[in-house]
Amino acid sequence: MGSVLTSRRVVLSVALAVVLFAFWPALFGGGSLVSDDLVATAPPFDAYQHESYSLENGPGDPINIHAHWASAADDLRAGDLGWWNPDLAGGQPTMKAGAPVFALPYLFTPSWYSPGLVAAVRAMIAIVLAMGFLRAVGLRRVSCLVGGVAFGLSGFMVGWMNWPHSSVAALAPGLLWAIERMIADPKRWRIVPLGGVVGLMVWANFPSVLIYTLFGASLYAIVRLGAEVFGATDRRRWLAPRLLVGAGAAVLALLIAGPHLIGFSEYVDWADTSHRVGNPDDSSAGLGYLLTAVAPAIWGSDAVGEPWFGQGNWVEFNTHLGASVVVLALVGFVAGLVGEDRRRRSVAAGLLVVALVGVLIAYVGGPLGVALGDLTGSQGGVMTRAKVLISLGVALGAALGVEWLCEDRADRRRELRAIGAVGTLGMLVMVPSMFEWVDAARAADAVRPSIAASSASILALLAALGMVGARLRGRLDADQLGAGFVVIVAVELLAFAMPVPTIVSRDERIAATPAHTLVQNELGPGERLAGEGRTFFPSTTQHFDITDARGQLLKSPGYQELFRAVDPDMLRRAGGGTPTYPNIARGTDIASPIWDAMAVGLWAQFPDSTPPGTRSGPPRATAGADPAVQPLAGTVAVPEGGLRAVLVELAPDADGFVDVAVTTDDGTTNERRWVEPSDTGAVSFAVLGEHLQLGSTVNVVVTAPAATMLVGVNDAGSAVVGTIAGDDAYELLRVGDVIVLDRPVEPVRLAHGAVTLASPEAAAAAIAAGLPSGIAVVDRSVVIPELPSVGADASVADIDYGRGRITAMVDTDLAVLLVASEANYPGWRVTIDGADAELVTADAAFLGVVVPPGVHDVEFSFTPEHVGRSTLMLLLAAGVIVGLLGDGVRRGDLRSPRGRRG
């Protein structure tokens, strides 16, 4: 059958269809991970039973990343973007997360829309750059399109679509493209794209993926240069200009990336990274998980089929390439290596080396794999992130396969025999892994569901083999073959990619609730929110301009020790947290002095948690009655201090709901609670009643929809009810969806005495134990006594907070220590009446300065220490880029190359 359309029309038509199908929701509608919209809804009551309960229901890690860029974009548009971001923990440098080019859409689109758009743009740029590289090595357009789609929609790009991993990976083909063009034409202006793409990758801010990518690209360059230099008549003369361009690109990359590298190095030196020491040497996944290359849901997944039942998690261990892509890559690698074309042979060898090194590090491990994995140093994380090399090498290798099949060849027998032999060997190598999978799948009762979820891969494999057979028999021409493979590869990869939560519908957007509004209104300048579990999700609070004492990010050793001093498990998985993600357990003491040091002004608790206060009762029950049979009523008087909660005696014998109605002079509060047998005892139900008149009557009625529990009653059959009274220390502000209490706190405070403890652990322990009033802890000796002087008179007033700036007026008759609960990070400085003063670390993690007697204006301000050097480096980089491109224009070197195929 002859072709009806030209190659270009086929490619453009199929490409447009792929783009619209893949990215329609992100480009033309749909929702996203979070939203600015205000709604008054809350999770269903039965969500309260889970310790992961949160007012914000969404995937946590993507929200963390989204909230940072959404907040930064909002601040920039408002003209309030500074060097310091106080939103999480004790504050962090604004630029700690780098500046990936893919974050730019946040500046021009609504924040609810940006994540989906960023994901779409990132994938599309990866496709375009991959196509550019493949065109540079002489492939026709349809082959390039297959390779581009195979990489842009690969498992690595899709699995990490909401993360900086994919921001680095998306630029990787651009690096290979720049290398290839430098090898072919080593003009001086080639320094710009080669150095520029490396600089952008550094600013994308994911070190392990960056290092693996640079390592893989270096291996590719060595293979390609080695092959080309041996074919040159004057090897030294051929190699010299290419090495000079490479050296120049390295210098330009350092100038572009230098500001981030300096800042990142400073951040890592400052932060507590002790949890990264002593990790297992070999964190590779194991060869069995390489089965996900052709069947992404074979071990389960978070998006398709059964839940993940393998070790680790799907995003780290899955390396979806596509069965059709693997077949094409096998053809491309083997045919390229045994073919006669020297450039094609070296390109295939280079890409194969890249892919095999990725397999070695990510899935094989062992001494050599671990040694290569250690290239990433302390920032490496698990070795499976080297699978970026697998995705890159195999996807681009697939394009070589399409090219070989599209070429008109009289005799393919030699290549086909080699392809068959290598394919058979590969399947034999994976046989033990198949048995390993069968055992694990049977144990998880997931054999049939996993196979069913892999149906798209099976169909794609059959279709790919059918296309290859039809082409070898002369039944398809090159245009038909190429267009067919674009469709097969795109459909197979999208079958897995589309369910991955990059965007969501409008009604699923995360939204501020009335509880958020309350916190926004009640949180004073410099104060922070903290509380149990994820009652407020720390990074979504950033999106709503709520400063939080927690957050998923690196923190200083002193800040970490403050958390550990409250509960050592707070930063461990055993306690529901991680070293970068503290989890405050249910029932944690609201009164801990640690929260004072952190300036926690609002405290949140689970809606079924017990608020602090003076407990009274309930009286001893004489019997139990079933609230499902009839309502059980009881009364109690408002205690001194007001009513903060009522206590009801419950004895559940099965999981179920209980309904409690509390009627006071203000009206009736209804609460439905999920209770379990472990909840047996006096269960509290919070009430906003601290203002109620002492002794006024409170009526409590308990019912249940099913017979799952007994309620304690007295001889008269009335429910026995106790109370939790209010106190002067805290004020209950909200109940229902979340319990919120106000804590008196001083974010900027004076200390008349100081204890010197250089160790952050010792300092945090001293604070947790409770220091005498007016005493702070400092990291080195200061000129004030350990014990405050009797009768000392000092005050602080006119406190003002700005972005990276805190000012106050201190009036004191003796030298005092002024403490501000903002993280002491390199770049903070302090002045007293305009003159520089010595900054100390106070209370384990925060800013402190000794103020002499008298009335003084004190100002803390933050500017990165490296801002001068960084500005100079960027100016030099800009000058080099302009100079090189100008020189290229003058010489006529920037003209487009001609003569490439199809």
Side-chain angles (χ1 to χ4, degrees):
M1 180 190 299
S3 174
V4 235
L5 297 175
T6 65
S7 174
R8 177 172 296 184
R9 287 179 179 174
V10 169
V11 169
L12 292 179
S13 299
V14 175
L16 180 61
V18 168
V19 168
L20 290 179
F21 178 59
F23 304 123
W24 179 277
L27 296 175
F28 303 105
S32 150
L33 293 173
V34 293
S35 169
D36 290 325
D37 300 347
L38 297 179
V39 299
T41 58
F45 286 103
D46 58 353
Y48 296 164
Q49 64 179 302
H50 303 295
E51 292 300 306
S52 60
Y53 163 81
S54 174
L55 284 175
E56 302 95 12
N57 295 310
D61 293 332
I63 290 173
N64 294 333
I65 297 163
H66 164 80
H68 175 82
W69 296 116
S71 177
D74 290 343
D75 291 339
L76 185 60
R77 285 192 292 265
D80 190 36
L81 186 68
W83 295 114
W84 187 254
N85 182 355
D87 291 343
L88 295 175
Q92 304 276 300
T94 300
M95 298 298 291
K96 77 171 185 63
V101 65
F102 300 106
L104 289 175
Y106 279 95
L107 294 175
F108 312 111
T109 58
S111 60
W112 62 265
Y113 184 78
S114 298
L117 181 60
V118 167
V121 170
R122 191 187 283 122
M124 293 174 71
I125 287 178
I127 292 172
V128 170
L129 292 178
M131 292 178 66
F133 162 74
L134 294 166
R135 287 290 283 170
V137 298
L139 273 58
R140 66 192 73 210
R141 288 186 177 89
V142 72
S143 303
C144 299
L145 182 56
V146 171
V149 171
F151 179 69
L153 300 179
S154 64
F156 190 91
M157 289 296 300
V158 169
W160 294 113
M161 189 59 73
N162 297 306
W163 285 74
H165 307 53
S166 57
S167 292
V168 177
L171 299 171
L175 177 56
L176 296 185
W177 186 5
I179 290 172
E180 196 60 46
R181 296 307 300 151
M182 178 268 292
I183 292 172
D185 181 27
K187 298 288 196 304
R188 282 181 291 185
W189 73 270
R190 300 283 182 194
I191 290 172
V192 175
L194 186 54
V197 72
V198 173
L200 291 176
M201 291 170 73
V202 173
W203 275 102
N205 193 44
F206 206 85
S208 62
V209 177
L210 169 70
I211 294 169
Y212 286 135
T213 302
L214 293 179
F215 180 60
S218 300
L219 293 176
Y220 176 83
I222 291 170
V223 172
R224 286 287 290 122
L225 286 169
E228 296 293 335
V229 75
F230 282 113
T233 53
D234 187 340
R235 295 173 182 174
R236 181 175 297 178
R237 187 171 182 179
W238 185 91
L239 189 58
R242 289 157 178 83
L243 294 180
L244 286 175
V245 171
V251 172
L252 178 60
L254 285 174
L255 289 175
I256 295 172
H260 178 63
L261 291 174
I262 295 170
F264 183 77
S265 175
E266 180 183 79
Y267 178 61
V268 171
D269 288 343
W270 167 83
D272 179 8
T273 57
S274 59
H275 60 281
R276 293 181 173 172
V277 178
N279 288 334
D281 289 332
D282 192 342
S283 57
S284 59
L287 202 57
Y289 294 96
L290 199 55
L291 293 170
T292 60
V294 295
I298 197 167
W299 287 95
S301 80
D302 290 358
V304 178
E306 290 292 290
W308 178 264
F309 58 88
Q311 298 178 7
N313 59 71
W314 81 273
V315 74
E316 292 283 9
F317 281 27
N318 187 298
T319 185
H320 186 213
L321 305 171
S324 57
V325 174
V326 171
V327 168
L328 289 172
L330 172 65
V331 172
F333 287 142
V334 177
L337 290 173
V338 302
E340 301 297 330
D341 187 321
R342 187 184 67 196
R343 182 170 72 162
R344 181 80 59 80
R345 187 165 57 245
S346 64
V347 169
L351 293 176
L352 181 59
V353 167
V354 169
L356 289 178
V357 167
V359 171
L360 177 62
I361 299 173
Y363 290 96
V364 177
L368 181 56
V370 170
L372 294 175
D374 285 345
L375 291 171
T376 58
S378 65
Q379 301 304 309
V382 294
M383 291 161 55
T384 52
R385 289 164 190 177
K387 64 187 182 178
V388 62
L389 302 179
I390 307 174
S391 293
L392 185 65
V394 172
L396 301 180
L400 299 180
V402 175
E403 188 71 14
W404 183 79
L405 290 167
C406 285
E407 292 170 341
D408 293 321
R409 292 174 175 265
D411 187 1
R412 301 178 188 261
R413 286 176 295 179
R414 178 175 174 227
E415 291 94 335
L416 288 174
R417 283 195 296 268
I419 291 168
V422 173
T424 302
L425 178 62
M427 287 188 289
L428 290 175
V429 168
M430 295 304 296
V431 166
S433 298
M434 281 299 302
F435 284 113
E436 175 191 346
W437 171 79
V438 169
D439 290 341
R442 283 177 174 170
D445 196 22
V447 175
R448 288 186 178 180
S450 296
I451 293 175
S454 303
S455 57
S457 300
I458 296 170
L459 293 174
L461 175 62
L462 295 175
L465 293 175
M467 293 284 288
V468 172
R471 174 60 176 163
L472 294 177
R473 288 174 173 79
R475 296 176 181 174
L476 292 176
D477 63 24
D479 290 341
Q480 294 165 340
L481 179 84
F485 269 120
V486 171
V487 173
I488 291 170
V489 169
V491 170
E492 180 185 4
L493 295 180
L494 286 170
F496 181 74
M498 293 300 283
V500 174
T502 303
I503 54 175
V504 296
S505 63
R506 293 177 182 272
D507 59 349
E508 291 179 308
R509 297 181 206 161
I510 291 176
T513 66
H516 290 91
T517 304
L518 170 79
V519 172
Q520 289 170 330
N521 294 335
E522 295 293 335
L523 210 57
E527 294 183 1
R528 296 186 174 89
L529 170 71
E532 297 175 346
R534 308 286 188 261
T535 42
F536 286 91
F537 194 76
S539 288
T540 306
T541 55
Q542 179 183 17
H543 185 64
F544 298 130
D545 291 325
I546 295 171
T547 54
D548 199 298
R550 302 158 294 173
Q552 185 175 9
L553 67 177
L554 295 174
K555 307 169 187 68
S556 71
Y559 205 91
Q560 295 288 77
E561 291 300 338
L562 289 171
F563 280 129
R564 292 189 183 101
V566 178
D567 178 4
D569 283 338
M570 196 176 292
L571 303 176
R572 299 172 182 164
R573 293 195 181 277
T578 70
T580 58
Y581 211 155
N583 181 58
I584 300 173
R586 179 189 294 268
T588 296
D589 185 8
I590 185 178
S592 172
I594 295 295
W595 311 130
D596 298 329
M598 289 185 174
V600 174
L602 290 180
W603 182 263
Q605 296 184 191
F606 292 113
D608 61 347
S609 189
T610 301
T614 304
R615 296 174 67 107
S616 176
R620 184 179 179 85
T622 58
D626 188 347
V629 175
Q630 63 178 6
L632 301 173
T635 61
V636 70
V638 173
E640 186 175 353
L643 183 66
R644 192 170 282 172
V646 297
L647 298 169
V648 178
E649 194 77 32
L650 299 180
D653 53 15
D655 298 351
F657 288 108
V658 62
D659 296 307
V660 174
V662 181
T663 302
T664 68
D665 291 343
D666 285 348
T668 300
T669 301
N670 295 291
E671 181 173 346
R672 166 165 283 192
R673 178 80 55 81
W674 180 267
V675 292
E676 302 172 359
S678 59
D679 296 318
T680 297
V683 178
S684 69
F685 295 83
V687 181
L688 287 176
E690 294 181 8
H691 62 287
L692 295 173
Q693 183 178 354
L694 175 65
S696 60
T697 300
V698 178
N699 295 302
V700 179
V701 178
V702 184
T703 58
T708 58
M709 72 196 72
L710 296 177
V711 173
V713 295
N714 56 24
D715 291 335
S718 299
V720 293
V721 181
T723 61
I724 296 179
D727 50 44
D728 294 333
Y730 315 108
E731 180 185 359
L732 184 63
L733 301 177
R734 186 175 182 84
V735 299
D737 53 355
V738 63
I739 294 173
V740 179
L741 295 113
D742 180 75
R743 298 181 77 259
V745 71
E746 295 178 294
V748 177
R749 54 196 177 276
L750 294 175
H752 302 277
V755 177
T756 303
L757 293 170
S759 161
E761 183 178 5
I767 295 167
L771 293 167
S773 177
I775 300 290
V777 179
V778 291
D779 63 336
R780 55 186 179 274
S781 297
V782 294
V783 292
I784 61 174
E786 285 195 7
L787 296 176
S789 301
V790 178
D793 186 18
S795 63
V796 58
D798 297 336
I799 300 169
D800 183 58
Y801 276 82
R803 178 72 71 165
R805 181 185 59 83
I806 305 169
T807 60
M809 185 186 73
V810 177
D811 184 357
T812 178
D813 55 7
L814 294 172
V816 292
L817 182 74
L818 181 67
V819 179
S821 291
E822 208 73 20
N824 189 2
Y825 188 91
W828 277 103
R829 62 187 291 263
V830 60
T831 61
I832 298 177
D833 298 328
D836 286 338
E838 182 183 11
L839 189 68
V840 299
T841 299
D843 287 347
F846 305 111
L847 303 172
V849 64
V850 174
V851 181
V855 178
H856 302 283
D857 292 321
V858 182
E859 179 176 3
F860 297 97
S861 60
F862 178 79
T863 303
E865 293 181 342
H866 58 86
V867 68
R869 286 173 290 161
S870 296
T871 302
L872 178 60
M873 294 174 78
L874 290 176
L875 289 175
L876 286 173
V880 169
I881 291 170
V882 171
L884 288 171
L885 293 180
D887 181 65
V889 170
R890 183 176 59 81
R891 294 171 179 267
D893 293 337
L894 294 179
R895 288 175 296 183
S896 300
R898 302 288 182 186
R900 292 183 295 188
R901 284 182 288 174

